Amino acid sequence: MDCTFSPLTDFTKLEAAVSAFYGPAAAPAQSVRFRRLLDGLTETFGPQTAAAVFSAPGRSEIGGNHTDHQHGRVLAGSVDLDIIAAVAPNNRNVIRIQSEGFPMDVVELDDLEIREEEKNTSQAIIRGIAAWFKGKGCALEGFDAYTTSSVLNGSGLSSSAAFEVLVGSVINSLFFEDRCTPVQIAQIGQYAENVYFGKPSGLLDQMGCSVGGMVTIDFKDNANPVVERLDFDFASAGHALCIIDSGADHADLTDEYAAVTMELKEICAHFGKNVLREVPEEEFYAALPVLRRKAGDRAVLRAVHVYDENRRVEGQVAALRQNDFQTFLALIRASGLSSWRYLQNVVPAGYTHHQEVAFALAMAERLLDGRGACRVHGGGFAGTVQAFVPLDMLDGFKAEMERILGGGSCHVLTVRPVGGVRLV
């Protein structure tokens, strides 16, 4: 295990890496954060002679709402909120990860089979990632890790995918000679989430966290996604990217997310296909009377959304490349409207008293007053709203959203240029 940094005696190397990575303005606060990280490692696991330090960012889905699991197109960006980890060898055949504020996860490396009782837990994610690497001949050894996160759990910035990328990056760097590319790290995380965690997610979240920067991704061949970088600064267009926490928790909504993929699977089954990308759109529309009887209207409407959303992603990418920000904003608005009307992932089925995402959208639209754009962000049903806010409105917008939804509910983000990374 190549751990070259001593947390007890020498902070100089890490401090230099932190300053270079986060920039001079953020470096002082980040240095304090990393000192606390190292303190957490030693307080939890005892004195260490050496440690390695890693970071993995959250992500924002900018375009392509629920298209990834249908092998569609997306536009995503890594953001400047991250999970960081200090990692040390433990000379045991076990992975122990203490995430600040949560119970410790412990995974024995001689037992990496799927455990049904672990579904929907971070322990399942760790076990799944370790199993993938071990299956590829990785000489995996036990380690201890302490993590802390600025990617708030349930924030819609994909804290779970950031955690997956973090764990994958640790094992890849320390035990696999960095043989996995960022795309492969994302695929490993998706494997763990689908097979061990039990959530049938697409690949958008993991790719957004792992690759870094703003990227457009075509998942037509899910094993070999086409990734293209897109350099665009929202501030140069006079807008800020904001993520607004609606205050709703998506922890108990796995069935709602799964219903989206299951209903689209019913549509695809009529054509003998697995995902909507394999079904020609003209054949889908020709079969509408039969599809409505077999799969129901909601399934059909969700398919309409996916077909249209793939085209919107293409339009968003083209608009940004042509510096046509008004067209980009119009497509963001259209995406949000489609998600609400057709995909129907704003309000969970049957919810009447609690409609937090719908309420947050209503408030954001009211405050924007025809400028900027907003939409449901990520999986939907709970979590967050995304807004592109004109800079001259930003202070007032943020203050009023936080007055209504609570302090710290409106996050102003920038796109981070790198994904999962080892700092020292």
Side-chain angles (χ1 to χ4, degrees), residues 174-206:
L174 299 179
F175 306 108
F176 211 51
E177 300 175 335
D178 282 322
R179 283 160 34 197
C180 291
T181 66
V183 169
Q184 290 170 321
I185 292 292
Q187 291 169 328
I188 296 164
Q190 185 199 26
Y191 164 78
E193 187 162 308
N194 290 174
V195 178
Y196 280 73
F197 186 85
K199 183 178 179 181
S201 65
L203 193 54
L204 164 63
D205 292 351
Q206 293 83 0

Coordinates of all heavy atoms in Angstrom, one line a residue, residues 174-206:
L174 N -4.8 2.2 -4.6 CA -3.9 1.5 -3.6 C -3.6 0.1 -3.9 O -2.6 -0.4 -3.6 CB -4.6 1.6 -2.2 CG -4.8 3.0 -1.7 CD1 -5.4 3.0 -0.3 CD2 -3.5 3.8 -1.6
F175 N -4.5 -0.6 -4.7 CA -4.3 -2.0 -4.9 C -4.4 -2.5 -6.3 O -4.2 -3.6 -6.6 CB -5.4 -2.8 -4.1 CG -5.5 -2.4 -2.6 CD1 -6.5 -1.6 -2.1 CD2 -4.5 -2.8 -1.8 CE1 -6.6 -1.3 -0.8 CE2 -4.5 -2.5 -0.4 CZ -5.6 -1.7 0.1
F176 N -4.7 -1.6 -7.2 CA -4.9 -2.0 -8.6 C -4.1 -1.2 -9.6 O -4.4 -1.2 -10.8 CB -6.4 -1.9 -9.0 CG -6.9 -2.9 -10.0 CD1 -6.7 -4.2 -9.8 CD2 -7.6 -2.5 -11.1 CE1 -7.1 -5.2 -10.8 CE2 -8.1 -3.4 -12.0 CZ -7.8 -4.7 -11.9
E177 N -3.1 -0.4 -9.1 CA -2.2 0.3 -9.9 C -2.9 1.3 -10.9 O -2.4 1.6 -12.0 CB -1.3 -0.6 -10.7 CG -0.4 -1.5 -9.9 CD 0.4 -2.6 -10.7 OE1 -0.1 -2.9 -11.8 OE2 1.4 -3.0 -10.1
D178 N -4.0 1.8 -10.5 CA -4.8 2.8 -11.3 C -5.1 2.3 -12.7 O -5.1 3.1 -13.6 CB -4.0 4.1 -11.4 CG -4.1 5.0 -10.1 OD1 -5.2 5.0 -9.5 OD2 -3.1 5.6 -9.7
R179 N -5.4 1.0 -12.8 CA -5.6 0.4 -14.1 C -7.0 0.8 -14.6 O -7.3 0.7 -15.8 CB -5.5 -1.1 -14.0 CG -4.0 -1.4 -14.0 CD -3.6 -2.8 -13.5 NE -4.5 -3.9 -13.8 CZ -4.4 -5.1 -13.1 NH1 -3.5 -5.2 -12.2 NH2 -5.2 -6.0 -13.3
C180 N -8.0 1.1 -13.7 CA -9.3 1.5 -14.1 C -9.4 3.0 -14.5 O -8.9 3.8 -13.8 CB -10.3 1.2 -13.0 SG -10.6 -0.5 -12.7
T181 N -10.0 3.2 -15.6 CA -10.3 4.6 -16.1 C -11.4 5.2 -15.3 O -12.2 4.5 -14.6 CB -10.6 4.7 -17.6 OG1 -11.9 4.0 -17.7 CG2 -9.6 3.9 -18.4
P182 N -11.6 6.5 -15.3 CA -12.8 7.1 -14.6 C -14.1 6.5 -15.1 O -15.0 6.3 -14.3 CB -12.7 8.6 -15.0 CG -11.2 8.8 -15.1 CD -10.7 7.6 -15.8
V183 N -14.2 6.2 -16.4 CA -15.4 5.6 -16.9 C -15.6 4.2 -16.2 O -16.7 3.9 -15.8 CB -15.4 5.5 -18.4 CG1 -16.5 4.6 -18.9 CG2 -15.5 6.8 -19.1
Q184 N -14.6 3.4 -16.1 CA -14.7 2.1 -15.5 C -15.0 2.2 -14.0 O -15.8 1.4 -13.5 CB -13.4 1.3 -15.7 CG -13.2 0.9 -17.1 CD -11.8 0.3 -17.4 OE1 -10.8 0.8 -16.9 NE2 -11.7 -0.7 -18.2
I185 N -14.5 3.2 -13.3 CA -14.8 3.4 -11.9 C -16.3 3.7 -11.8 O -17.0 3.2 -10.9 CB -14.0 4.6 -11.3 CG1 -12.5 4.3 -11.2 CG2 -14.5 5.0 -10.0 CD1 -12.2 3.2 -10.2
A186 N -16.8 4.5 -12.7 CA -18.3 4.8 -12.7 C -19.1 3.5 -12.9 O -20.1 3.2 -12.2 CB -18.6 5.8 -13.8
Q187 N -18.6 2.6 -13.8 CA -19.3 1.4 -14.1 C -19.3 0.4 -12.9 O -20.2 -0.3 -12.7 CB -18.8 0.8 -15.4 CG -19.1 1.5 -16.6 CD -18.3 1.1 -17.8 OE1 -17.1 0.6 -17.7 NE2 -18.8 1.2 -19.0
I188 N -18.2 0.4 -12.2 CA -18.0 -0.4 -11.0 C -19.0 0.0 -10.0 O -19.7 -0.8 -9.3 CB -16.6 -0.4 -10.5 CG1 -15.6 -1.0 -11.5 CG2 -16.5 -1.1 -9.2 CD1 -14.2 -0.7 -11.2
G189 N -19.1 1.4 -9.8 CA -20.1 1.9 -8.8 C -21.5 1.5 -9.2 O -22.3 1.2 -8.3
Q190 N -21.9 1.6 -10.5 CA -23.2 1.2 -10.9 C -23.5 -0.2 -10.7 O -24.6 -0.6 -10.2 CB -23.4 1.6 -12.4 CG -24.8 1.3 -12.9 CD -24.9 1.1 -14.4 OE1 -24.0 0.7 -15.0 NE2 -26.1 1.4 -14.9
Y191 N -22.5 -1.1 -10.9 CA -22.6 -2.5 -10.7 C -22.9 -2.7 -9.2 O -23.9 -3.5 -8.9 CB -21.3 -3.2 -11.0 CG -21.2 -4.6 -10.5 CD1 -21.8 -5.7 -11.1 CD2 -20.4 -4.9 -9.3 CE1 -21.7 -7.0 -10.5 CE2 -20.3 -6.1 -8.8 CZ -21.0 -7.2 -9.4 OH -20.9 -8.4 -8.9
A192 N -22.2 -2.1 -8.3 CA -22.5 -2.3 -6.9 C -23.8 -1.8 -6.5 O -24.6 -2.4 -5.7 CB -21.4 -1.6 -6.1
E193 N -24.3 -0.7 -7.1 CA -25.6 -0.1 -6.7 C -26.7 -1.0 -7.3 O -27.7 -1.2 -6.6 CB -25.7 1.3 -7.3 CG -27.0 2.0 -6.9 CD -26.9 3.5 -7.0 OE1 -25.9 4.1 -6.6 OE2 -27.8 4.0 -7.6
N194 N -26.5 -1.5 -8.5 CA -27.6 -2.3 -9.1 C -27.7 -3.7 -8.4 O -28.8 -4.2 -8.1 CB -27.3 -2.5 -10.6 CG -27.5 -1.3 -11.4 OD1 -27.2 -1.3 -12.6 ND2 -28.0 -0.2 -10.8
V195 N -26.5 -4.4 -8.3 CA -26.5 -5.8 -7.9 C -26.5 -6.0 -6.4 O -27.2 -6.8 -5.8 CB -25.3 -6.5 -8.5 CG1 -25.2 -7.9 -8.1 CG2 -25.3 -6.4 -10.1
Y196 N -25.7 -5.2 -5.7 CA -25.6 -5.4 -4.2 C -26.5 -4.5 -3.4 O -27.1 -4.9 -2.5 CB -24.1 -5.1 -3.8 CG -23.2 -6.3 -4.0 CD1 -22.8 -6.6 -5.3 CD2 -22.7 -7.0 -3.0 CE1 -21.9 -7.7 -5.6 CE2 -21.8 -8.1 -3.2 CZ -21.5 -8.4 -4.5 OH -20.6 -9.5 -4.7
F197 N -26.6 -3.2 -3.8 CA -27.5 -2.3 -3.1 C -28.9 -2.5 -3.5 O -29.8 -2.3 -2.6 CB -27.0 -0.8 -3.5 CG -27.7 0.3 -2.7 CD1 -27.3 0.7 -1.5 CD2 -28.9 0.9 -3.3 CE1 -27.9 1.7 -0.8 CE2 -29.5 1.9 -2.6 CZ -29.0 2.3 -1.4
G198 N -29.2 -2.9 -4.7 CA -30.6 -3.2 -5.1 C -31.4 -2.1 -5.7 O -32.6 -2.2 -5.8
K199 N -30.7 -1.1 -6.2 CA -31.4 0.0 -6.9 C -31.0 0.0 -8.4 O -29.9 0.0 -8.8 CB -30.9 1.4 -6.3 CG -31.6 2.6 -6.9 CD -31.2 3.9 -6.2 CE -31.9 5.1 -6.8 NZ -31.4 6.3 -6.2
P200 N -32.1 -0.1 -9.3 CA -31.8 -0.2 -10.7 C -31.5 1.1 -11.4 O -32.3 1.6 -12.3 CB -33.1 -0.8 -11.2 CG -34.2 -0.3 -10.3 CD -33.5 -0.2 -8.9
S201 N -30.4 1.7 -11.0 CA -30.1 3.1 -11.5 C -29.4 3.0 -12.8 O -28.8 1.9 -13.2 CB -29.2 3.8 -10.5 OG -28.0 3.1 -10.4
G202 N -29.4 4.1 -13.6 CA -28.5 4.2 -14.7 C -27.1 4.6 -14.4 O -26.7 4.5 -13.2
L203 N -26.4 5.1 -15.3 CA -25.0 5.4 -15.1 C -24.7 6.9 -15.0 O -23.5 7.2 -14.8 CB -24.2 4.7 -16.3 CG -22.7 4.6 -16.2 CD1 -22.2 3.9 -14.9 CD2 -22.1 3.9 -17.4
L204 N -25.7 7.7 -15.1 CA -25.4 9.1 -15.1 C -24.7 9.6 -13.8 O -23.8 10.3 -13.8 CB -26.8 9.9 -15.2 CG -26.8 11.4 -14.9 CD1 -25.8 12.2 -15.8 CD2 -28.2 12.0 -14.9
D205 N -25.3 9.2 -12.7 CA -24.7 9.7 -11.4 C -23.3 9.4 -11.2 O -22.5 10.3 -10.9 CB -25.5 9.1 -10.2 CG -27.0 9.6 -10.2 OD1 -27.3 10.5 -10.9 OD2 -27.7 9.1 -9.4
Q206 N -22.9 8.1 -11.4 CA -21.5 7.7 -11.3 C -20.6 8.4 -12.3 O -19.5 8.8 -11.9 CB -21.4 6.2 -11.4 CG -22.1 5.4 -10.2 CD -23.6 5.2 -10.5 OE1 -24.1 5.6 -11.5 NE2 -24.2 4.6 -9.5

